[in-house]
Amino acid sequence: MKHNIYCLAWALLALLWVASPAFAADKPGKHPKKSSKDEVVTISTSQGIIRVILFEDTPLHKANFLQKAKSGFYNGTTFHRVIPDFMIQGGDANSKDADPSNDGLGQANEGTVPAEFVAGHQHNYGALAAARQGDFANPQRASSISQFYLVENHEGTHFLDGQYTVFGQTIQGLDVIDKIAKMPRDGRNRPTADIKMTMKVEKLKRKKIAKLYGYTYL
């Protein structure tokens, strides 16, 4: 099947993937009472540990990311595309194999997640956002079901605000994002040495998260 083109920052980042049906998930109805606990996702790499929380008001992305993180889907995948002063990107199942040339191509029929643009969720330093196809093939701006990126630019990448779904924030390990972004890479911006990840999900009290990581819930 012919691959389409993923875009991050238009021509600056180009990825190929296969067009496929939308991620099936029910739209949320009435908002349930806010839980006193929240999930912390720990991303372990050779360069250190990154911890992120996921936003409640992007429920489709949150549910999808947590399901994959808990199932072990991301274990063994790599940060296959890194650009200093921009972002680090990973999450493609193809990056688990021994062929670096297919990293970022995605897999056939892997689905998408409907866009969830929320005012206030910006591409700040450490923001967690979803990769996607470019507007020419994806006017709805639906997200990849697996590939994500973390903003490495300390000033943010705000020209992407409102165009790619931001669904989480780094609460620990910003220095690790910086380290990964500065790793030696080839002409495709792929690190020359694999930067593999594993993920673990832990549910903690929000008060504990705030105390441990200095994160302020709005």
Side-chain angles (χ1 to χ4, degrees), residues 184-211:
R185 61 196 193 283
D186 63 18
R188 298 174 60 233
N189 290 312
R190 185 190 187 280
T192 53
D194 287 349
I195 304 174
K196 292 186 179 293
M197 71 182 84
T198 60
M199 288 195 192
K200 179 180 71 173
V201 179
E202 185 178 13
K203 201 162 192 176
L204 300 173
K205 289 185 177 180
R206 289 173 180 251
K207 288 183 178 179
K208 186 172 183 179
I209 293 171
K211 183 177 180 180

PDB file of all heavy atoms in Angstrom, residues 184-211:
ATOM      1  N   PRO A 184      24.225  12.409  18.352  1.00  0.00           N
ATOM      2  CA  PRO A 184      24.625  12.373  16.933  1.00  0.00           C
ATOM      3  C   PRO A 184      23.530  11.722  16.097  1.00  0.00           C
ATOM      4  O   PRO A 184      22.892  10.751  16.516  1.00  0.00           O
ATOM      5  CB  PRO A 184      25.894  11.517  16.956  1.00  0.00           C
ATOM      6  CG  PRO A 184      26.430  11.648  18.340  1.00  0.00           C
ATOM      7  CD  PRO A 184      25.215  11.744  19.231  1.00  0.00           C
ATOM      8  N   ARG A 185      23.311  12.258  14.890  1.00  0.00           N
ATOM      9  CA  ARG A 185      22.220  11.756  14.046  1.00  0.00           C
ATOM     10  C   ARG A 185      22.642  11.790  12.589  1.00  0.00           C
ATOM     11  O   ARG A 185      23.597  12.474  12.219  1.00  0.00           O
ATOM     12  CB  ARG A 185      20.956  12.587  14.274  1.00  0.00           C
ATOM     13  CG  ARG A 185      21.104  14.052  13.923  1.00  0.00           C
ATOM     14  CD  ARG A 185      19.966  14.878  14.538  1.00  0.00           C
ATOM     15  NE  ARG A 185      19.902  16.215  13.976  1.00  0.00           N
ATOM     16  CZ  ARG A 185      20.721  17.191  14.312  1.00  0.00           C
ATOM     17  NH1 ARG A 185      21.666  16.997  15.214  1.00  0.00           N
ATOM     18  NH2 ARG A 185      20.599  18.385  13.741  1.00  0.00           N
ATOM     19  N   ASP A 186      21.888  11.053  11.778  1.00  0.00           N
ATOM     20  CA  ASP A 186      22.210  10.988  10.356  1.00  0.00           C
ATOM     21  C   ASP A 186      21.443  12.057   9.583  1.00  0.00           C
ATOM     22  O   ASP A 186      20.810  12.941  10.170  1.00  0.00           O
ATOM     23  CB  ASP A 186      21.929   9.579   9.816  1.00  0.00           C
ATOM     24  CG  ASP A 186      20.456   9.184   9.899  1.00  0.00           C
ATOM     25  OD1 ASP A 186      19.591  10.085  10.041  1.00  0.00           O
ATOM     26  OD2 ASP A 186      20.163   7.978   9.823  1.00  0.00           O
ATOM     27  N   GLY A 187      21.464  11.952   8.250  1.00  0.00           N
ATOM     28  CA  GLY A 187      20.816  12.945   7.408  1.00  0.00           C
ATOM     29  C   GLY A 187      19.309  12.976   7.516  1.00  0.00           C
ATOM     30  O   GLY A 187      18.674  13.949   7.103  1.00  0.00           O
ATOM     31  N   ARG A 188      18.720  11.919   8.072  1.00  0.00           N
ATOM     32  CA  ARG A 188      17.270  11.868   8.276  1.00  0.00           C
ATOM     33  C   ARG A 188      16.891  12.298   9.685  1.00  0.00           C
ATOM     34  O   ARG A 188      15.750  12.143  10.111  1.00  0.00           O
ATOM     35  CB  ARG A 188      16.752  10.453   8.012  1.00  0.00           C
ATOM     36  CG  ARG A 188      16.964   9.950   6.583  1.00  0.00           C
ATOM     37  CD  ARG A 188      16.559   8.498   6.445  1.00  0.00           C
ATOM     38  NE  ARG A 188      15.160   8.274   6.772  1.00  0.00           N
ATOM     39  CZ  ARG A 188      14.737   7.377   7.660  1.00  0.00           C
ATOM     40  NH1 ARG A 188      15.601   6.622   8.328  1.00  0.00           N
ATOM     41  NH2 ARG A 188      13.452   7.230   7.888  1.00  0.00           N
ATOM     42  N   ASN A 189      17.868  12.820  10.422  1.00  0.00           N
ATOM     43  CA  ASN A 189      17.678  13.220  11.821  1.00  0.00           C
ATOM     44  C   ASN A 189      17.368  12.036  12.729  1.00  0.00           C
ATOM     45  O   ASN A 189      16.790  12.208  13.801  1.00  0.00           O
ATOM     46  CB  ASN A 189      16.577  14.292  11.951  1.00  0.00           C
ATOM     47  CG  ASN A 189      17.007  15.621  11.369  1.00  0.00           C
ATOM     48  OD1 ASN A 189      18.093  16.103  11.651  1.00  0.00           O
ATOM     49  ND2 ASN A 189      16.160  16.196  10.532  1.00  0.00           N
ATOM     50  N   ARG A 190      17.793  10.851  12.287  1.00  0.00           N
ATOM     51  CA  ARG A 190      17.670   9.666  13.139  1.00  0.00           C
ATOM     52  C   ARG A 190      18.963   9.519  13.947  1.00  0.00           C
ATOM     53  O   ARG A 190      20.055   9.573  13.382  1.00  0.00           O
ATOM     54  CB  ARG A 190      17.448   8.403  12.306  1.00  0.00           C
ATOM     55  CG  ARG A 190      17.199   7.161  13.166  1.00  0.00           C
ATOM     56  CD  ARG A 190      17.223   5.884  12.340  1.00  0.00           C
ATOM     57  NE  ARG A 190      16.827   4.745  13.138  1.00  0.00           N
ATOM     58  CZ  ARG A 190      17.627   4.101  13.993  1.00  0.00           C
ATOM     59  NH1 ARG A 190      18.891   4.490  14.156  1.00  0.00           N
ATOM     60  NH2 ARG A 190      17.185   3.063  14.680  1.00  0.00           N
ATOM     61  N   PRO A 191      18.861   9.333  15.276  1.00  0.00           N
ATOM     62  CA  PRO A 191      20.079   9.108  16.064  1.00  0.00           C
ATOM     63  C   PRO A 191      20.874   7.935  15.512  1.00  0.00           C
ATOM     64  O   PRO A 191      20.301   6.909  15.132  1.00  0.00           O
ATOM     65  CB  PRO A 191      19.538   8.815  17.463  1.00  0.00           C
ATOM     66  CG  PRO A 191      18.230   9.539  17.516  1.00  0.00           C
ATOM     67  CD  PRO A 191      17.659   9.380  16.128  1.00  0.00           C
ATOM     68  N   THR A 192      22.186   8.077  15.448  1.00  0.00           N
ATOM     69  CA  THR A 192      23.024   7.013  14.903  1.00  0.00           C
ATOM     70  C   THR A 192      23.092   5.824  15.848  1.00  0.00           C
ATOM     71  O   THR A 192      23.386   4.708  15.418  1.00  0.00           O
ATOM     72  CB  THR A 192      24.439   7.540  14.625  1.00  0.00           C
ATOM     73  OG1 THR A 192      24.960   8.169  15.801  1.00  0.00           O
ATOM     74  CG2 THR A 192      24.413   8.561  13.495  1.00  0.00           C
ATOM     75  N   ALA A 193      22.839   6.051  17.121  1.00  0.00           N
ATOM     76  CA  ALA A 193      22.727   4.961  18.092  1.00  0.00           C
ATOM     77  C   ALA A 193      21.283   4.913  18.566  1.00  0.00           C
ATOM     78  O   ALA A 193      20.684   5.949  18.898  1.00  0.00           O
ATOM     79  CB  ALA A 193      23.665   5.190  19.271  1.00  0.00           C
ATOM     80  N   ASP A 194      20.688   3.715  18.582  1.00  0.00           N
ATOM     81  CA  ASP A 194      19.291   3.580  18.989  1.00  0.00           C
ATOM     82  C   ASP A 194      19.059   4.132  20.394  1.00  0.00           C
ATOM     83  O   ASP A 194      19.812   3.822  21.321  1.00  0.00           O
ATOM     84  CB  ASP A 194      18.861   2.113  18.965  1.00  0.00           C
ATOM     85  CG  ASP A 194      18.679   1.579  17.552  1.00  0.00           C
ATOM     86  OD1 ASP A 194      18.689   2.384  16.612  1.00  0.00           O
ATOM     87  OD2 ASP A 194      18.535   0.345  17.410  1.00  0.00           O
ATOM     88  N   ILE A 195      18.012   4.930  20.533  1.00  0.00           N
ATOM     89  CA  ILE A 195      17.600   5.420  21.848  1.00  0.00           C
ATOM     90  C   ILE A 195      16.260   4.770  22.163  1.00  0.00           C
ATOM     91  O   ILE A 195      15.191   5.319  21.888  1.00  0.00           O
ATOM     92  CB  ILE A 195      17.499   6.952  21.865  1.00  0.00           C
ATOM     93  CG1 ILE A 195      18.822   7.572  21.429  1.00  0.00           C
ATOM     94  CG2 ILE A 195      17.126   7.450  23.269  1.00  0.00           C
ATOM     95  CD1 ILE A 195      18.786   9.067  21.277  1.00  0.00           C
ATOM     96  N   LYS A 196      16.336   3.557  22.683  1.00  0.00           N
ATOM     97  CA  LYS A 196      15.133   2.777  22.958  1.00  0.00           C
ATOM     98  C   LYS A 196      14.475   3.237  24.251  1.00  0.00           C
ATOM     99  O   LYS A 196      15.131   3.796  25.137  1.00  0.00           O
ATOM    100  CB  LYS A 196      15.466   1.291  23.026  1.00  0.00           C
ATOM    101  CG  LYS A 196      15.889   0.708  21.675  1.00  0.00           C
ATOM    102  CD  LYS A 196      16.057  -0.794  21.755  1.00  0.00           C
ATOM    103  CE  LYS A 196      16.455  -1.370  20.401  1.00  0.00           C
ATOM    104  NZ  LYS A 196      15.374  -1.228  19.408  1.00  0.00           N
ATOM    105  N   MET A 197      13.185   2.979  24.330  1.00  0.00           N
ATOM    106  CA  MET A 197      12.430   3.363  25.523  1.00  0.00           C
ATOM    107  C   MET A 197      11.626   2.194  26.065  1.00  0.00           C
ATOM    108  O   MET A 197      11.298   1.237  25.348  1.00  0.00           O
ATOM    109  CB  MET A 197      11.484   4.521  25.191  1.00  0.00           C
ATOM    110  CG  MET A 197      10.299   4.141  24.309  1.00  0.00           C
ATOM    111  SD  MET A 197       9.235   5.553  23.890  1.00  0.00           S
ATOM    112  CE  MET A 197      10.116   6.236  22.479  1.00  0.00           C
ATOM    113  N   THR A 198      11.324   2.288  27.338  1.00  0.00           N
ATOM    114  CA  THR A 198      10.310   1.450  27.977  1.00  0.00           C
ATOM    115  C   THR A 198       9.398   2.399  28.743  1.00  0.00           C
ATOM    116  O   THR A 198       9.809   3.493  29.136  1.00  0.00           O
ATOM    117  CB  THR A 198      10.904   0.407  28.940  1.00  0.00           C
ATOM    118  OG1 THR A 198      11.636   1.077  29.976  1.00  0.00           O
ATOM    119  CG2 THR A 198      11.819  -0.555  28.203  1.00  0.00           C
ATOM    120  N   MET A 199       8.157   1.972  28.946  1.00  0.00           N
ATOM    121  CA  MET A 199       7.203   2.821  29.664  1.00  0.00           C
ATOM    122  C   MET A 199       6.556   2.068  30.811  1.00  0.00           C
ATOM    123  O   MET A 199       6.296   0.864  30.726  1.00  0.00           O
ATOM    124  CB  MET A 199       6.107   3.342  28.726  1.00  0.00           C
ATOM    125  CG  MET A 199       6.562   4.399  27.758  1.00  0.00           C
ATOM    126  SD  MET A 199       5.148   5.258  27.017  1.00  0.00           S
ATOM    127  CE  MET A 199       5.966   6.150  25.697  1.00  0.00           C
ATOM    128  N   LYS A 200       6.307   2.809  31.877  1.00  0.00           N
ATOM    129  CA  LYS A 200       5.611   2.279  33.043  1.00  0.00           C
ATOM    130  C   LYS A 200       4.582   3.309  33.479  1.00  0.00           C
ATOM    131  O   LYS A 200       4.853   4.513  33.455  1.00  0.00           O
ATOM    132  CB  LYS A 200       6.597   2.005  34.173  1.00  0.00           C
ATOM    133  CG  LYS A 200       5.966   1.460  35.448  1.00  0.00           C
ATOM    134  CD  LYS A 200       7.012   1.216  36.522  1.00  0.00           C
ATOM    135  CE  LYS A 200       7.551   2.513  37.067  1.00  0.00           C
ATOM    136  NZ  LYS A 200       8.462   2.309  38.228  1.00  0.00           N
ATOM    137  N   VAL A 201       3.394   2.847  33.872  1.00  0.00           N
ATOM    138  CA  VAL A 201       2.336   3.743  34.329  1.00  0.00           C
ATOM    139  C   VAL A 201       2.075   3.501  35.810  1.00  0.00           C
ATOM    140  O   VAL A 201       1.907   2.358  36.244  1.00  0.00           O
ATOM    141  CB  VAL A 201       1.029   3.520  33.531  1.00  0.00           C
ATOM    142  CG1 VAL A 201      -0.070   4.451  34.037  1.00  0.00           C
ATOM    143  CG2 VAL A 201       1.271   3.733  32.043  1.00  0.00           C
ATOM    144  N   GLU A 202       2.073   4.578  36.570  1.00  0.00           N
ATOM    145  CA  GLU A 202       1.847   4.486  38.014  1.00  0.00           C
ATOM    146  C   GLU A 202       0.778   5.488  38.409  1.00  0.00           C
ATOM    147  O   GLU A 202       0.829   6.657  37.999  1.00  0.00           O
ATOM    148  CB  GLU A 202       3.148   4.783  38.758  1.00  0.00           C
ATOM    149  CG  GLU A 202       3.078   4.607  40.256  1.00  0.00           C
ATOM    150  CD  GLU A 202       4.413   4.858  40.937  1.00  0.00           C
ATOM    151  OE1 GLU A 202       5.319   5.406  40.279  1.00  0.00           O
ATOM    152  OE2 GLU A 202       4.537   4.528  42.118  1.00  0.00           O
ATOM    153  N   LYS A 203      -0.188   5.042  39.207  1.00  0.00           N
ATOM    154  CA  LYS A 203      -1.252   5.930  39.659  1.00  0.00           C
ATOM    155  C   LYS A 203      -0.912   6.448  41.044  1.00  0.00           C
ATOM    156  O   LYS A 203      -0.693   5.672  41.977  1.00  0.00           O
ATOM    157  CB  LYS A 203      -2.595   5.202  39.672  1.00  0.00           C
ATOM    158  CG  LYS A 203      -3.803   6.131  39.644  1.00  0.00           C
ATOM    159  CD  LYS A 203      -5.053   5.388  39.219  1.00  0.00           C
ATOM    160  CE  LYS A 203      -6.180   6.361  38.909  1.00  0.00           C
ATOM    161  NZ  LYS A 203      -7.380   5.662  38.405  1.00  0.00           N
ATOM    162  N   LEU A 204      -0.864   7.781  41.159  1.00  0.00           N
ATOM    163  CA  LEU A 204      -0.482   8.423  42.415  1.00  0.00           C
ATOM    164  C   LEU A 204      -1.506   9.490  42.785  1.00  0.00           C
ATOM    165  O   LEU A 204      -2.233   9.995  41.933  1.00  0.00           O
ATOM    166  CB  LEU A 204       0.894   9.086  42.287  1.00  0.00           C
ATOM    167  CG  LEU A 204       2.087   8.191  41.931  1.00  0.00           C
ATOM    168  CD1 LEU A 204       3.311   9.058  41.681  1.00  0.00           C
ATOM    169  CD2 LEU A 204       2.360   7.195  43.032  1.00  0.00           C
ATOM    170  N   LYS A 205      -1.536   9.851  44.050  1.00  0.00           N
ATOM    171  CA  LYS A 205      -2.375  10.961  44.467  1.00  0.00           C
ATOM    172  C   LYS A 205      -1.842  12.249  43.853  1.00  0.00           C
ATOM    173  O   LYS A 205      -0.640  12.444  43.761  1.00  0.00           O
ATOM    174  CB  LYS A 205      -2.393  11.058  45.987  1.00  0.00           C
ATOM    175  CG  LYS A 205      -3.157   9.932  46.669  1.00  0.00           C
ATOM    176  CD  LYS A 205      -3.250  10.160  48.166  1.00  0.00           C
ATOM    177  CE  LYS A 205      -4.089   9.067  48.817  1.00  0.00           C
ATOM    178  NZ  LYS A 205      -4.201   9.263  50.296  1.00  0.00           N
ATOM    179  N   ARG A 206      -2.763  13.098  43.456  1.00  0.00           N
ATOM    180  CA  ARG A 206      -2.359  14.355  42.838  1.00  0.00           C
ATOM    181  C   ARG A 206      -1.489  15.189  43.785  1.00  0.00           C
ATOM    182  O   ARG A 206      -0.556  15.863  43.346  1.00  0.00           O
ATOM    183  CB  ARG A 206      -3.592  15.154  42.407  1.00  0.00           C
ATOM    184  CG  ARG A 206      -4.315  14.541  41.218  1.00  0.00           C
ATOM    185  CD  ARG A 206      -5.620  15.257  40.937  1.00  0.00           C
ATOM    186  NE  ARG A 206      -6.282  14.632  39.795  1.00  0.00           N
ATOM    187  CZ  ARG A 206      -6.405  15.188  38.600  1.00  0.00           C
ATOM    188  NH1 ARG A 206      -5.917  16.389  38.381  1.00  0.00           N
ATOM    189  NH2 ARG A 206      -7.022  14.561  37.617  1.00  0.00           N
ATOM    190  N   LYS A 207      -1.812  15.147  45.054  1.00  0.00           N
ATOM    191  CA  LYS A 207      -1.013  15.899  46.027  1.00  0.00           C
ATOM    192  C   LYS A 207       0.426  15.386  46.043  1.00  0.00           C
ATOM    193  O   LYS A 207       1.371  16.165  46.182  1.00  0.00           O
ATOM    194  CB  LYS A 207      -1.632  15.801  47.418  1.00  0.00           C
ATOM    195  CG  LYS A 207      -2.916  16.590  47.587  1.00  0.00           C
ATOM    196  CD  LYS A 207      -3.427  16.514  49.011  1.00  0.00           C
ATOM    197  CE  LYS A 207      -4.682  17.348  49.195  1.00  0.00           C
ATOM    198  NZ  LYS A 207      -5.221  17.275  50.589  1.00  0.00           N
ATOM    199  N   LYS A 208       0.589  14.072  45.896  1.00  0.00           N
ATOM    200  CA  LYS A 208       1.937  13.495  45.887  1.00  0.00           C
ATOM    201  C   LYS A 208       2.675  13.888  44.616  1.00  0.00           C
ATOM    202  O   LYS A 208       3.878  14.180  44.646  1.00  0.00           O
ATOM    203  CB  LYS A 208       1.864  11.975  46.011  1.00  0.00           C
ATOM    204  CG  LYS A 208       3.225  11.317  46.154  1.00  0.00           C
ATOM    205  CD  LYS A 208       3.111   9.839  46.480  1.00  0.00           C
ATOM    206  CE  LYS A 208       4.490   9.228  46.700  1.00  0.00           C
ATOM    207  NZ  LYS A 208       4.399   7.783  47.050  1.00  0.00           N
ATOM    208  N   ILE A 209       1.967  13.882  43.486  1.00  0.00           N
ATOM    209  CA  ILE A 209       2.586  14.291  42.216  1.00  0.00           C
ATOM    210  C   ILE A 209       3.067  15.733  42.317  1.00  0.00           C
ATOM    211  O   ILE A 209       4.184  16.069  41.911  1.00  0.00           O
ATOM    212  CB  ILE A 209       1.590  14.128  41.060  1.00  0.00           C
ATOM    213  CG1 ILE A 209       1.284  12.640  40.837  1.00  0.00           C
ATOM    214  CG2 ILE A 209       2.132  14.759  39.775  1.00  0.00           C
ATOM    215  CD1 ILE A 209       0.157  12.383  39.862  1.00  0.00           C
ATOM    216  N   ALA A 210       2.215  16.594  42.873  1.00  0.00           N
ATOM    217  CA  ALA A 210       2.583  18.002  43.024  1.00  0.00           C
ATOM    218  C   ALA A 210       3.810  18.149  43.919  1.00  0.00           C
ATOM    219  O   ALA A 210       4.712  18.952  43.634  1.00  0.00           O
ATOM    220  CB  ALA A 210       1.409  18.785  43.596  1.00  0.00           C
ATOM    221  N   LYS A 211       3.863  17.358  44.997  1.00  0.00           N
ATOM    222  CA  LYS A 211       4.981  17.446  45.941  1.00  0.00           C
ATOM    223  C   LYS A 211       6.260  16.890  45.340  1.00  0.00           C
ATOM    224  O   LYS A 211       7.342  17.481  45.468  1.00  0.00           O
ATOM    225  CB  LYS A 211       4.634  16.689  47.212  1.00  0.00           C
ATOM    226  CG  LYS A 211       5.713  16.782  48.286  1.00  0.00           C
ATOM    227  CD  LYS A 211       5.271  16.070  49.567  1.00  0.00           C
ATOM    228  CE  LYS A 211       6.355  16.169  50.646  1.00  0.00           C
ATOM    229  NZ  LYS A 211       5.935  15.475  51.898  1.00  0.00           N
TER     230      LYS A 211
END
